[in-house]
PDB file of all heavy atoms in Angstrom:
ATOM      1  N   ARG A  22      12.533   3.040  18.962  1.00  0.00           N
ATOM      2  CA  ARG A  22      13.680   3.423  18.147  1.00  0.00           C
ATOM      3  C   ARG A  22      13.399   3.092  16.682  1.00  0.00           C
ATOM      4  O   ARG A  22      12.835   2.031  16.393  1.00  0.00           O
ATOM      5  CB  ARG A  22      14.880   2.576  18.645  1.00  0.00           C
ATOM      6  CG  ARG A  22      16.254   2.979  18.209  1.00  0.00           C
ATOM      7  CD  ARG A  22      17.283   2.164  19.010  1.00  0.00           C
ATOM      8  NE  ARG A  22      17.051   0.708  18.909  1.00  0.00           N
ATOM      9  CZ  ARG A  22      17.492  -0.055  17.914  1.00  0.00           C
ATOM     10  NH1 ARG A  22      18.218   0.458  16.942  1.00  0.00           N
ATOM     11  NH2 ARG A  22      17.251  -1.359  17.895  1.00  0.00           N
ATOM     12  N   LEU A  23      13.789   4.003  15.790  1.00  0.00           N
ATOM     13  CA  LEU A  23      13.633   3.759  14.357  1.00  0.00           C
ATOM     14  C   LEU A  23      14.608   2.648  13.953  1.00  0.00           C
ATOM     15  O   LEU A  23      15.811   2.795  14.076  1.00  0.00           O
ATOM     16  CB  LEU A  23      13.956   5.052  13.581  1.00  0.00           C
ATOM     17  CG  LEU A  23      13.936   4.992  12.063  1.00  0.00           C
ATOM     18  CD1 LEU A  23      12.511   4.749  11.540  1.00  0.00           C
ATOM     19  CD2 LEU A  23      14.481   6.294  11.472  1.00  0.00           C
ATOM     20  N   THR A  24      14.071   1.503  13.472  1.00  0.00           N
ATOM     21  CA  THR A  24      14.965   0.394  13.130  1.00  0.00           C
ATOM     22  C   THR A  24      15.095   0.163  11.633  1.00  0.00           C
ATOM     23  O   THR A  24      15.936  -0.589  11.193  1.00  0.00           O
ATOM     24  CB  THR A  24      14.496  -0.922  13.796  1.00  0.00           C
ATOM     25  OG1 THR A  24      13.141  -1.143  13.418  1.00  0.00           O
ATOM     26  CG2 THR A  24      14.610  -0.844  15.311  1.00  0.00           C
ATOM     27  N   GLY A  25      14.231   0.804  10.846  1.00  0.00           N
ATOM     28  CA  GLY A  25      14.361   0.607   9.395  1.00  0.00           C
ATOM     29  C   GLY A  25      13.415   1.521   8.633  1.00  0.00           C
ATOM     30  O   GLY A  25      12.379   1.909   9.162  1.00  0.00           O
ATOM     31  N   VAL A  26      13.817   1.887   7.435  1.00  0.00           N
ATOM     32  CA  VAL A  26      12.946   2.669   6.573  1.00  0.00           C
ATOM     33  C   VAL A  26      13.271   2.359   5.125  1.00  0.00           C
ATOM     34  O   VAL A  26      14.459   2.210   4.762  1.00  0.00           O
ATOM     35  CB  VAL A  26      13.037   4.194   6.883  1.00  0.00           C
ATOM     36  CG1 VAL A  26      14.470   4.706   6.816  1.00  0.00           C
ATOM     37  CG2 VAL A  26      12.148   5.016   5.929  1.00  0.00           C
ATOM     38  N   ALA A  27      12.221   2.251   4.304  1.00  0.00           N
ATOM     39  CA  ALA A  27      12.439   1.925   2.888  1.00  0.00           C
ATOM     40  C   ALA A  27      11.309   2.515   2.051  1.00  0.00           C
ATOM     41  O   ALA A  27      10.180   2.656   2.549  1.00  0.00           O
ATOM     42  CB  ALA A  27      12.455   0.409   2.718  1.00  0.00           C
ATOM     43  N   PRO A  28      11.591   2.866   0.782  1.00  0.00           N
ATOM     44  CA  PRO A  28      10.522   3.311  -0.114  1.00  0.00           C
ATOM     45  C   PRO A  28       9.425   2.249  -0.191  1.00  0.00           C
ATOM     46  O   PRO A  28       9.703   1.046  -0.093  1.00  0.00           O
ATOM     47  CB  PRO A  28      11.223   3.464  -1.470  1.00  0.00           C
ATOM     48  CG  PRO A  28      12.659   3.628  -1.143  1.00  0.00           C
ATOM     49  CD  PRO A  28      12.896   2.828   0.100  1.00  0.00           C
ATOM     50  N   HIS A  29       8.193   2.690  -0.386  1.00  0.00           N
ATOM     51  CA  HIS A  29       7.054   1.772  -0.325  1.00  0.00           C
ATOM     52  C   HIS A  29       6.014   2.124  -1.363  1.00  0.00           C
ATOM     53  O   HIS A  29       5.787   3.295  -1.638  1.00  0.00           O
ATOM     54  CB  HIS A  29       6.441   1.854   1.085  1.00  0.00           C
ATOM     55  CG  HIS A  29       5.425   0.807   1.364  1.00  0.00           C
ATOM     56  ND1 HIS A  29       5.755  -0.514   1.581  1.00  0.00           N
ATOM     57  CD2 HIS A  29       4.070   0.867   1.466  1.00  0.00           C
ATOM     58  CE1 HIS A  29       4.656  -1.198   1.800  1.00  0.00           C
ATOM     59  NE2 HIS A  29       3.616  -0.389   1.730  1.00  0.00           N
ATOM     60  N   GLY A  30       5.362   1.099  -1.958  1.00  0.00           N
ATOM     61  CA  GLY A  30       4.229   1.343  -2.850  1.00  0.00           C
ATOM     62  C   GLY A  30       4.654   1.747  -4.240  1.00  0.00           C
ATOM     63  O   GLY A  30       5.851   1.862  -4.554  1.00  0.00           O
ATOM     64  N   SER A  31       3.642   1.986  -5.106  1.00  0.00           N
ATOM     65  CA  SER A  31       3.960   2.304  -6.493  1.00  0.00           C
ATOM     66  C   SER A  31       3.204   3.543  -6.982  1.00  0.00           C
ATOM     67  O   SER A  31       2.849   3.642  -8.138  1.00  0.00           O
ATOM     68  CB  SER A  31       3.658   1.100  -7.385  1.00  0.00           C
ATOM     69  OG  SER A  31       2.324   0.684  -7.174  1.00  0.00           O
ATOM     70  N   GLY A  32       2.939   4.485  -6.072  1.00  0.00           N
ATOM     71  CA  GLY A  32       2.272   5.735  -6.477  1.00  0.00           C
ATOM     72  C   GLY A  32       3.168   6.569  -7.380  1.00  0.00           C
ATOM     73  O   GLY A  32       4.398   6.441  -7.343  1.00  0.00           O
ATOM     74  N   HIS A  33       2.533   7.426  -8.183  1.00  0.00           N
ATOM     75  CA  HIS A  33       3.289   8.222  -9.162  1.00  0.00           C
ATOM     76  C   HIS A  33       3.647   9.615  -8.670  1.00  0.00           C
ATOM     77  O   HIS A  33       4.303  10.375  -9.375  1.00  0.00           O
ATOM     78  CB  HIS A  33       2.462   8.437 -10.427  1.00  0.00           C
ATOM     79  CG  HIS A  33       2.126   7.176 -11.157  1.00  0.00           C
ATOM     80  ND1 HIS A  33       2.731   5.974 -10.921  1.00  0.00           N
ATOM     81  CD2 HIS A  33       1.239   6.962 -12.156  1.00  0.00           C
ATOM     82  CE1 HIS A  33       2.235   5.061 -11.731  1.00  0.00           C
ATOM     83  NE2 HIS A  33       1.320   5.634 -12.487  1.00  0.00           N
ATOM     84  N   ILE A  34       3.135  10.021  -7.505  1.00  0.00           N
ATOM     85  CA  ILE A  34       3.212  11.439  -7.159  1.00  0.00           C
ATOM     86  C   ILE A  34       4.016  11.696  -5.874  1.00  0.00           C
ATOM     87  O   ILE A  34       5.029  12.410  -5.905  1.00  0.00           O
ATOM     88  CB  ILE A  34       1.788  12.020  -6.963  1.00  0.00           C
ATOM     89  CG1 ILE A  34       0.921  11.729  -8.210  1.00  0.00           C
ATOM     90  CG2 ILE A  34       1.834  13.509  -6.649  1.00  0.00           C
ATOM     91  CD1 ILE A  34       1.322  12.426  -9.480  1.00  0.00           C
ATOM     92  N   ASN A  35       3.574  11.142  -4.775  1.00  0.00           N
ATOM     93  CA  ASN A  35       4.248  11.405  -3.511  1.00  0.00           C
ATOM     94  C   ASN A  35       5.400  10.428  -3.305  1.00  0.00           C
ATOM     95  O   ASN A  35       5.527   9.427  -4.022  1.00  0.00           O
ATOM     96  CB  ASN A  35       3.242  11.273  -2.352  1.00  0.00           C
ATOM     97  CG  ASN A  35       2.177  12.347  -2.418  1.00  0.00           C
ATOM     98  OD1 ASN A  35       2.488  13.504  -2.708  1.00  0.00           O
ATOM     99  ND2 ASN A  35       0.936  11.984  -2.160  1.00  0.00           N
ATOM    100  N   GLU A  36       6.229  10.721  -2.298  1.00  0.00           N
ATOM    101  CA  GLU A  36       7.257   9.749  -1.894  1.00  0.00           C
ATOM    102  C   GLU A  36       6.741   9.064  -0.648  1.00  0.00           C
ATOM    103  O   GLU A  36       6.458   9.720   0.357  1.00  0.00           O
ATOM    104  CB  GLU A  36       8.577  10.463  -1.581  1.00  0.00           C
ATOM    105  CG  GLU A  36       9.131  11.292  -2.725  1.00  0.00           C
ATOM    106  CD  GLU A  36       9.581  10.462  -3.915  1.00  0.00           C
ATOM    107  OE1 GLU A  36       9.792   9.245  -3.767  1.00  0.00           O
ATOM    108  OE2 GLU A  36       9.705  11.047  -5.011  1.00  0.00           O
ATOM    109  N   THR A  37       6.602   7.748  -0.724  1.00  0.00           N
ATOM    110  CA  THR A  37       6.040   6.990   0.404  1.00  0.00           C
ATOM    111  C   THR A  37       7.112   6.072   0.996  1.00  0.00           C
ATOM    112  O   THR A  37       7.837   5.410   0.253  1.00  0.00           O
ATOM    113  CB  THR A  37       4.827   6.157  -0.074  1.00  0.00           C
ATOM    114  OG1 THR A  37       3.851   7.027  -0.636  1.00  0.00           O
ATOM    115  CG2 THR A  37       4.185   5.376   1.064  1.00  0.00           C
ATOM    116  N   TYR A  38       7.225   6.060   2.333  1.00  0.00           N
ATOM    117  CA  TYR A  38       8.237   5.237   3.014  1.00  0.00           C
ATOM    118  C   TYR A  38       7.554   4.443   4.143  1.00  0.00           C
ATOM    119  O   TYR A  38       6.689   4.971   4.841  1.00  0.00           O
ATOM    120  CB  TYR A  38       9.328   6.104   3.610  1.00  0.00           C
ATOM    121  CG  TYR A  38       9.979   6.996   2.583  1.00  0.00           C
ATOM    122  CD1 TYR A  38       9.553   8.329   2.427  1.00  0.00           C
ATOM    123  CD2 TYR A  38      10.974   6.524   1.745  1.00  0.00           C
ATOM    124  CE1 TYR A  38      10.107   9.146   1.458  1.00  0.00           C
ATOM    125  CE2 TYR A  38      11.532   7.336   0.773  1.00  0.00           C
ATOM    126  CZ  TYR A  38      11.088   8.649   0.623  1.00  0.00           C
ATOM    127  OH  TYR A  38      11.631   9.445  -0.338  1.00  0.00           O
ATOM    128  N   LEU A  39       8.002   3.225   4.282  1.00  0.00           N
ATOM    129  CA  LEU A  39       7.544   2.406   5.396  1.00  0.00           C
ATOM    130  C   LEU A  39       8.647   2.428   6.452  1.00  0.00           C
ATOM    131  O   LEU A  39       9.787   2.043   6.180  1.00  0.00           O
ATOM    132  CB  LEU A  39       7.295   0.975   4.912  1.00  0.00           C
ATOM    133  CG  LEU A  39       7.007  -0.073   5.983  1.00  0.00           C
ATOM    134  CD1 LEU A  39       5.824   0.303   6.841  1.00  0.00           C
ATOM    135  CD2 LEU A  39       6.743  -1.428   5.305  1.00  0.00           C
ATOM    136  N   ALA A  40       8.309   2.900   7.656  1.00  0.00           N
ATOM    137  CA  ALA A  40       9.302   2.981   8.732  1.00  0.00           C
ATOM    138  C   ALA A  40       8.911   2.043   9.861  1.00  0.00           C
ATOM    139  O   ALA A  40       7.734   1.897  10.211  1.00  0.00           O
ATOM    140  CB  ALA A  40       9.372   4.420   9.270  1.00  0.00           C
ATOM    141  N   THR A  41       9.913   1.381  10.433  1.00  0.00           N
ATOM    142  CA  THR A  41       9.667   0.443  11.533  1.00  0.00           C
ATOM    143  C   THR A  41      10.299   0.970  12.801  1.00  0.00           C
ATOM    144  O   THR A  41      11.453   1.441  12.799  1.00  0.00           O
ATOM    145  CB  THR A  41      10.273  -0.938  11.190  1.00  0.00           C
ATOM    146  OG1 THR A  41       9.811  -1.289   9.885  1.00  0.00           O
ATOM    147  CG2 THR A  41       9.838  -1.997  12.185  1.00  0.00           C
ATOM    148  N   TYR A  42       9.555   0.913  13.885  1.00  0.00           N
ATOM    149  CA  TYR A  42      10.031   1.337  15.202  1.00  0.00           C
ATOM    150  C   TYR A  42       9.950   0.138  16.124  1.00  0.00           C
ATOM    151  O   TYR A  42       9.018  -0.687  16.010  1.00  0.00           O
ATOM    152  CB  TYR A  42       9.149   2.450  15.763  1.00  0.00           C
ATOM    153  CG  TYR A  42       9.441   3.809  15.133  1.00  0.00           C
ATOM    154  CD1 TYR A  42       9.062   4.074  13.829  1.00  0.00           C
ATOM    155  CD2 TYR A  42      10.111   4.784  15.861  1.00  0.00           C
ATOM    156  CE1 TYR A  42       9.348   5.303  13.244  1.00  0.00           C
ATOM    157  CE2 TYR A  42      10.399   6.030  15.282  1.00  0.00           C
ATOM    158  CZ  TYR A  42      10.014   6.268  13.979  1.00  0.00           C
ATOM    159  OH  TYR A  42      10.305   7.476  13.404  1.00  0.00           O
ATOM    160  N   ALA A  43      10.908   0.035  17.070  1.00  0.00           N
ATOM    161  CA  ALA A  43      10.857  -1.091  18.000  1.00  0.00           C
ATOM    162  C   ALA A  43      11.113  -0.598  19.420  1.00  0.00           C
ATOM    163  O   ALA A  43      11.910   0.333  19.641  1.00  0.00           O
ATOM    164  CB  ALA A  43      11.901  -2.130  17.606  1.00  0.00           C
ATOM    165  N   ASP A  44      10.417  -1.211  20.360  1.00  0.00           N
ATOM    166  CA  ASP A  44      10.754  -1.021  21.779  1.00  0.00           C
ATOM    167  C   ASP A  44      10.493  -2.361  22.468  1.00  0.00           C
ATOM    168  O   ASP A  44      10.238  -3.371  21.794  1.00  0.00           O
ATOM    169  CB  ASP A  44       9.973   0.146  22.407  1.00  0.00           C
ATOM    170  CG  ASP A  44       8.471  -0.081  22.411  1.00  0.00           C
ATOM    171  OD1 ASP A  44       8.021  -1.223  22.143  1.00  0.00           O
ATOM    172  OD2 ASP A  44       7.739   0.868  22.696  1.00  0.00           O
ATOM    173  N   ALA A  45      10.566  -2.364  23.800  1.00  0.00           N
ATOM    174  CA  ALA A  45      10.441  -3.633  24.513  1.00  0.00           C
ATOM    175  C   ALA A  45       9.103  -4.306  24.183  1.00  0.00           C
ATOM    176  O   ALA A  45       8.994  -5.544  24.192  1.00  0.00           O
ATOM    177  CB  ALA A  45      10.572  -3.395  26.022  1.00  0.00           C
ATOM    178  N   GLY A  46       8.107  -3.502  23.883  1.00  0.00           N
ATOM    179  CA  GLY A  46       6.781  -4.060  23.591  1.00  0.00           C
ATOM    180  C   GLY A  46       6.660  -4.693  22.215  1.00  0.00           C
ATOM    181  O   GLY A  46       5.658  -5.294  21.879  1.00  0.00           O
TER     182      GLY A  46
END
Side-chain angles (χ1 to χ4, degrees):
R22 193 170 55 84
L23 177 67
T24 55
V26 54
H29 190 73
S31 54
H33 296 346
I34 307 293
N35 294 319
E36 302 293 342
T37 301
Y38 305 96
L39 171 57
T41 310
Y42 283 72
D44 63 12

